[in-house]
Amino acid sequence: MDDRRKNQRVRLKDGCIIHHSEIVGTVRDISMGGMSCTCLDQRGSDRDISTRGNIYCNRLELVVEKISMKILESQILPGKFAAHLGVRKCRVLFHQLDDSQKDQLAHLIKHSFCS
């Protein structure tokens, strides 16, 4: 499968949290165009849903607020000890970012990636 990403994704060395639609999760990797995350949610696929969310990075004391995103892909990963206690893995596209959000994302990516 071809990789159609316009922006290189980086894996974060410090945990950043995503919060959207009453769902909380961990950002796995991120780019200026989107991210992948694992969320504590068992409601099934929210694919093709547009939503707004906040990204919190404690070490950087950074919050990217009200970022517009569209869930491109979503799947439930079964739990290791109990299949029904899994997490949802999502692939997300950012859209309609304002200049402040772009600057905050660039700062997060520059200062928090794994080397």
Side-chain angles (χ1 to χ4, degrees):
M1 185 164 104
D2 294 333
D3 189 357
R4 297 179 301 213
R5 292 183 185 141
K6 294 178 183 176
N7 302 290
Q8 179 182 0
R9 289 250 176 122
V10 294
R11 185 167 301 279
L12 302 178
K13 67 179 176 183
D14 296 319
C16 293
I17 296 170
I18 179 71
H19 176 252
H20 66 94
S21 306
E22 300 178 8
I23 298 168
V24 176
T26 301
V27 177
R28 297 168 42 101
D29 57 49
I30 195 165
S31 74
M32 291 300 293
M35 68 177 177
S36 67
C37 58
T38 52
C39 296
L40 300 172
D41 181 37
Q42 297 297 308
R43 291 183 287 161
S45 177
D46 286 329
R47 188 173 180 213
D48 293 328
I49 298 292
S50 291
T51 186
R52 289 189 181 271
N54 301 324
I55 299 173
Y56 304 96
C57 287
N58 191 37
R59 186 181 71 83
L60 295 175
E61 298 180 358
L62 177 69
V63 178
V64 184
E65 293 184 300
K66 299 179 183 172
I67 193 164
S68 295
M69 55 188 145
K70 180 177 181 179
I71 299 172
L72 299 177
E73 185 178 330
S74 176
Q75 71 183 75
I76 300 291
L77 302 175
K80 290 182 180 182
F81 302 105
H84 66 282
L85 295 176
V87 296
R88 185 162 52 95
K89 180 180 173 185
C90 296
R91 194 167 57 92
V92 176
L93 174 70
F94 299 140
H95 59 92
Q96 299 173 338
L97 301 179
D98 63 30
D99 290 339
S100 174
Q101 291 169 325
K102 289 177 186 176
D103 291 344
Q104 290 169 332
L105 278 174
H107 180 78
L108 184 154
I109 291 167
K110 180 179 178 183
H111 291 96
S112 191
F113 67 91
C114 290
S115 46

